[in-house]
Amino acid sequence: MVKRTSHKEAGCALARPLDAIGDGWSLLIVRDAFEGLRRFGEFQRSLGLARNILSARLRNLVDHGILQLVPASDGGAHHEYALTKKGRGLFPLMVALRQWGEDYFFEIDRPRVRLVDRKTGQAVKRLEIRAQDGRTLDVDDTVTLLAE
């Protein structure tokens, strides 16, 4: 298997997180953690992933501080995986990716899972990128500069 290139020294804030979440399985594990899954077996049943691959992805997410190992909620001898503050910080990214997927990977009349407000049952509002003055921004309205 080809070893992946690390981006931990990159000057780009988009490249650095790829070591932690740059593969599809890791993002799906985080998705499942947002849905309340906490145990190895729960992730395995949801994803149908081989034990060794799931173990490696979970270990990587723990090593990067996205998940943490916590005592089992039932008091058992095993442990569970819980999102950290850093992991919960992925929520806007996950919503953006979900909305992009809805726009470009489903036919209009195709059934799909929707993200809704737990309190109201209403669909979550589309994410928007805004300038400091409140204007909606598009890719043509931004530039990447080196921060000082």
Side-chain angles (χ1 to χ4, degrees):
M1 178 184 263
V2 177
K3 183 165 174 46
R4 293 174 51 141
T5 301
S6 174
H7 300 286
K8 71 179 180 181
E9 300 299 325
C12 174
L14 182 62
R16 282 191 180 198
L18 293 178
D19 287 345
I21 59 164
D23 69 272
W25 291 121
S26 294
L27 288 175
L28 293 174
I29 291 168
V30 171
R31 175 206 61 190
D32 284 355
F34 279 128
E35 293 292 323
L37 276 60
R38 295 174 61 96
R39 295 187 176 185
F40 185 94
E42 292 173 330
F43 290 115
Q44 192 174 33
R45 279 188 296 281
S46 173
L47 299 171
L49 195 53
R51 293 180 64 83
N52 63 324
I53 295 171
L54 179 57
S55 292
R57 296 307 187 276
L58 287 167
R59 187 172 36 259
N60 186 55
L61 291 168
V62 169
D63 289 347
H64 281 91
I66 293 167
L67 294 175
Q68 63 183 341
L69 291 170
V70 298
S73 55
D74 64 3
H78 57 281
H79 61 264
E80 296 177 342
Y81 296 92
L83 287 161
T84 62
K85 180 179 178 185
K86 185 177 184 179
R88 292 176 66 80
L90 285 167
F91 185 67
L93 174 92
M94 300 296 280
V95 171
L97 189 57
R98 180 183 294 275
Q99 290 177 349
W100 180 73
E102 289 172 354
D103 289 349
Y104 296 105
F105 291 89
F106 285 88
E107 293 82 30
I108 291 174
D109 60 345
R110 174 83 182 187
R112 68 196 80 167
V113 175
R114 297 265 186 201
L115 185 65
V116 298
D117 180 330
R118 186 183 308 266
K119 182 178 177 181
T120 66
Q122 299 281 325
V124 171
K125 187 176 176 181
R126 303 280 312 170
L127 289 178
E128 296 177 333
I129 308 302
R130 297 202 171 262
Q132 294 292 328
D133 64 9
R135 290 175 296 120
T136 303
L137 297 176
D138 195 349
V139 64
D140 296 329
D141 302 315
T142 63
V143 63
T144 304
L145 300 175
L146 183 60
E148 300 195 18

